[in-house]
Structure formats: C-alpha cells, structure tokens
C-alpha cells in the first residue's frame, strides 16, 4: 500500500457465467470490521454491443497513530461508478462513465478494554464524469495503443471539488525479430488539469504493484506535506513509471513522461534449455518526465533538474529481468537516477513488482 508504505494482503475472487457475458470481481482485505476493510466489487455486462459495468469500493487508510492514548485518524474513500464501452471497430472504441466519491475523516480512540470512540472531523463529496477514446491495433508484429481521456467535476451542489482534466497516452511497439523476442517499446504521456480544484499529477516510481524495493519510502515526503488530502486514494493522480525515484518525486497541475524500453531475452541464447523451464527476458530502459503548474521548466536549465524541487525534470536509466514464477509475471528493475548536467547522481535502486 503506497499510501501507508506497508504491505497489504488482498483476497481476489472472480465469478462468471458459462458464456462470460456476466462477470463479477471481488477484492477484499478480509477484515471483518467494514470500517477498516478495503473492498472492491465490480460487475461487468458483456452481453450486448455496448458493455457496461457497476463498480463499488471502500478504501480505508489509518494514519497518525498515537501509542499513548490509542488514537488514530481514519480516512474513508467510498466510491460508486457506472461505466460503459462502445466499440467502433476491432481497433477503436469509446468509453465513458460517471462516479461519486464520499470522503470522510474521523478520529478513533481505543481504550484499554478495546472500546472504540469515533469523533467526526470532516467529509467531502466528489461527483465527476469522463469520456475516453481508445485506439489499439497491437498484434504480434507490434502496433500502437493510444487513448485520449477527458474528465470533469462540474460545479454542482453534490460536489465539493471543481476541476477539468485531460490526458493523452500513446504506446508504440516495434518487433525487431521474426520470433517476436526482441522489441522496442516507447510511451509518451501528457496531462493537464485546470479549474478551482485542479488535480495534481505526481510522476515517479515503479508502479502500484511494487512489492519490495530498496528505497526508504515509496511515496515522496514533500508530496505528503504539500497535499492535504493525499490519504484518499481518489484524490491522487500518480503516473508511472520513472524508476529510481519516489512516487510523486515531482508534482504539478501538468505533467509529461517519456519511456523507452529495449526488450530482449536475457539468458535463452546462452542456456537454450531454459526455454523449457521458463524463459527469462529483460529490458534496458530510459525514463524521463517533468511536472509543473505555471511556467514550463526549461530542459537545459540546471536548476530545473534539482531533485529537491517539487517541480522540474527527472530522468533515470537501468535494466531488469522479466520472468514467470508461481504462475505470475514478475519484474525486477535496477535503476540509476540520471542528470544530463551531472551524469549518474544516485546509487543503484531496485524494485520487485508483479505484472507485465
């Protein structure tokens, strides 16, 4: 859990009818007390041309625990979303949805016999909608996946936040070998938010599924100090990856990220028998990004590469193996922070994650 900087187990259950037209996904942290549990329930209907779904979740974060009097802050983020997808062709579709989030902060105190007292502090409501166009023609020989998403929280009585946000994400894959083992992948992301409560983009980090790492903390301390409502999961807008840095190492109302990966087998060429046990692939990567709110940071200015500033540029390079273990895809990344004015500026960082 990146908000609490600690591991958390989840139970995951999938249900479907025989044809796969109706699917239900359930995730839960298996805590009996509903106030403190994380739960997600997602229903998807794929029976007709227009797919639609209903998503409900409850996320709880405990913070500021006081061992003297047994008190702590409990942040609850409860969301309900309705989503749809309508395909135009095999390669393109439009998505959209509307959602409402209820955010609440309470202070709870547990006495020496286990009785809990709850004191209400504050609550907020957030109503938003989004529309998204997706183009995806990825195949064996490569392809491209691009989406453009617009989100808005309008000025209405049911919401305490008003903002607009647009994101563009484009990923390109080029196959460099006949067997598909060697590919070059690139990704470009740009986002901007405006309005009374403009959203903040936080760039940096390996991703949500990082299980083990070599950093002291996953989340940047300056981001924690600067964001009053970071404890609510729906109030964060993290963008990955820029490996070698904390999550939200740089943050602002606008962001740009570029990723380049050269993907190839690491060991199969030297130990051919490995392919029968599980091939070990790997990547060589370069990540770069910039976050800002008002004036765009000049790439050539040394000051805009100062890691201690909240806004500005960051860059990293590294490599890592990719392999399957226990039926799951694993990623191990080794990364070094890089400054074009100073060269390598950090010791080696490492991150072990689940996922492709």
């Amino acid at each position: 859990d990146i908000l609490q900087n600690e591991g958390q187990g989840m139970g995951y259950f999938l249900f479907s009818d025989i044809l796969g037209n109706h699917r239900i996904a359930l995730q839960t942290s298996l805590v009996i007390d509903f106030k403190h549990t994380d739960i997600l329930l997602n229903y998807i209907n794929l029976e007709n041309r227009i797919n639609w779904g209903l998503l409900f979740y409850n996320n709880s974060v405990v913070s500021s625990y006081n061992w003297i009097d047994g008190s702590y802050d409990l942040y609850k983020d409860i969301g309900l979303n309705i989503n749809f997808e309508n395909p135009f062709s095999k390669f393109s579709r439009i998505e959209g949805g509307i959602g409402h989030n209820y955010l609440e902060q309470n202070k709870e105190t547990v006495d020496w016999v286990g009785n809990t007292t709850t004191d209400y502090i504050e609550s907020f409501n957030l109503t938003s909608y989004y529309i998204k166009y997706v183009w995806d023609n990825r195949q064996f020989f490569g392809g491209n996946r691009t989406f453009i998403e617009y989100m808005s929280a309008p000025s209405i009585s049911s919401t305490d936040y008003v903002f607009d946000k647009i994101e563009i994400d484009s990923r390109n894959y080029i196959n460099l070998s006949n067997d598909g083992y060697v590919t070059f992948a690139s990704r470009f992301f740009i986002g901007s938010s405006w309005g009374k409560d403009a959203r903040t983009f936080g760039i940096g980090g390996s991703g949500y599924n990082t299980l083990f790492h070599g950093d002291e903390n996953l989340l940047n301390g300056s981001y924690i100090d600067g964001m009053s409502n970071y404890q609510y999961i729906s109030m964060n807008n993290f963008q990955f990856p820029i490996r070698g840095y904390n999550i939200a190492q740089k943050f602002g109302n606008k962001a740009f990220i570029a990723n380049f990966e050269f993907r190839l087998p690491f060991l199969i060429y030297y130990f051919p028998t490995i392919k029968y046990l599980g091939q070990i692939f790997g990547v060589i990567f370069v990540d770069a990004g910039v976050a800002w709110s008002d004036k765009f940071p000049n790439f050539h200015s040394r000051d805009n590469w100062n890691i201690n500033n909240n806004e500005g540029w960051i860059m990293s390079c590294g490599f890592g193996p990719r392999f399957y273990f226990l039926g799951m895809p694993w990623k191990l990344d080794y990364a070094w922070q890089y400054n074009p004015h100073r060269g390598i500026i950090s010791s080696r960082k490492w991150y072990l994650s689940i996922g492709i």
Side-chain angles (χ1 to χ4, degrees):
D1 190 325
I2 63 175
L3 298 182
Q4 302 183 74
N5 195 43
E6 61 184 18
Q8 178 174 323
M10 296 286 288
Y12 191 67
F13 307 90
L14 291 175
F15 307 92
S16 174
D17 64 339
I18 295 178
L19 297 178
N21 291 330
H22 304 275
R23 302 179 182 180
I24 298 176
L26 173 65
Q27 296 182 48
T28 175
S29 59
L30 305 178
V31 177
I32 297 177
D33 185 355
F34 180 78
K35 290 194 305 180
H36 298 85
T37 192
D38 294 335
I39 187 170
L40 182 147
L41 182 62
N42 188 22
Y43 167 75
I44 302 177
N45 187 307
L46 305 177
E47 188 172 9
N48 302 307
R49 179 180 178 87
I50 298 179
N51 303 326
W52 63 274
L54 188 64
L55 172 68
F56 168 81
Y57 73 84
N58 176 80
N59 180 262
S60 299
V61 173
V62 174
S63 178
S64 304
Y65 194 90
N66 189 325
W67 292 97
I68 298 177
D69 60 5
S71 65
Y72 55 87
D73 291 332
L74 178 63
Y75 297 86
K76 295 183 64 64
D77 187 339
I78 303 174
L80 180 63
N81 301 326
I82 301 175
N83 307 302
F84 75 88
E85 296 180 358
N86 182 43
F88 294 129
S89 68
K90 181 179 179 180
F91 303 114
S92 65
R93 66 181 182 270
I94 189 170
E95 303 177 2
I98 184 171
H100 183 82
N101 291 84
Y102 175 72
L103 316 174
E104 182 180 277
Q105 179 185 1
N106 295 310
K107 179 174 284 295
E108 295 196 338
T109 304
V110 182
D111 62 22
W112 62 278
V113 295
N115 297 320
T116 302
T117 303
T118 301
D119 296 315
Y120 170 85
I121 297 179
E122 61 181 358
S123 63
F124 306 95
N125 287 278
L126 169 62
T127 301
S128 62
Y129 66 88
Y130 78 94
I131 188 168
K132 180 178 181 180
Y133 173 77
V134 180
W135 165 267
D136 190 347
N137 69 346
R138 293 173 296 171
Q139 299 182 45
F140 172 78
F141 56 82
N144 175 269
R145 184 183 189 276
T146 297
F147 74 76
I148 302 174
E149 178 179 340
Y150 170 74
M151 175 179 284
S152 177
S155 179
I156 56 178
S157 58
S158 63
T159 185
D160 296 306
Y161 297 94
V162 178
F163 65 85
D164 295 276
K165 183 182 69 170
I166 189 169
E167 296 179 352
I168 301 175
D169 189 304
S170 183
R171 308 179 185 209
N172 196 55
Y173 305 89
I174 302 175
N175 193 351
L176 302 178
S177 65
N178 294 329
D179 55 15
Y181 286 162
V182 181
T183 60
F184 178 76
S186 62
R187 180 234 183 182
F188 298 95
F189 168 87
I190 187 168
S192 177
S193 182
W194 61 95
K196 180 174 69 71
D197 305 294
R199 300 300 298 268
T200 298
F201 295 90
I203 66 172
S206 178
Y208 282 111
N209 295 326
T210 301
L211 294 182
F212 303 99
H213 57 91
D215 292 332
E216 183 177 349
N217 296 296
L218 277 176
L219 192 57
N220 180 20
S222 296
Y223 179 86
I224 295 175
D225 296 336
M227 298 291 293
S228 58
N229 294 323
Y230 83 94
Q231 297 92 341
Y232 302 112
I233 190 170
S234 62
M235 298 302 293
N236 297 293
N237 193 18
F238 301 129
Q239 295 297 329
F240 312 105
I242 303 183
R243 288 152 284 197
Y245 294 90
N246 292 133
I247 294 174
Q249 185 71 58
K250 301 289 184 180
F251 52 94
N253 300 138
K254 303 174 181 64
F256 170 79
I257 293 178
N259 305 108
F260 304 95
E261 287 191 352
F262 183 52
R263 303 175 178 178
L264 71 167
F266 264 21
L267 293 178
I268 188 173
Y269 288 154
Y270 304 100
F271 303 95
T273 57
I274 289 181
K275 68 180 181 180
Y276 300 108
L277 303 177
Q279 300 169 2
I280 300 179
F281 289 84
V283 301
I284 301 171
F285 63 84
V286 174
D287 301 329
V290 59
W292 74 101
S293 292
D294 297 318
K295 185 179 179 181
F296 180 78
N298 189 331
F299 181 87
H300 302 287
S301 173
R302 296 176 65 95
D303 293 338
N304 292 328
W305 289 89
N306 188 336
I307 193 175
N308 296 318
N309 295 338
N310 294 334
E311 300 181 13
W313 289 86
I314 51 177
M315 180 183 293
S316 66
C317 57
F319 68 93
R322 303 290 186 265
F323 56 93
Y324 280 86
F325 181 62
L326 300 177
M328 297 180 292
W330 294 77
K331 301 188 298 183
L332 177 60
D333 287 316
Y334 296 101
W336 289 263
Q337 298 175 3
Y338 181 79
N339 184 321
H341 299 281
R342 298 168 51 196
I344 299 294
I345 59 173
S346 76
S347 59
R348 184 187 65 188
K349 311 280 187 176
W350 64 272
Y351 307 89
L352 181 62
S353 310
I354 296 179
I356 299 176

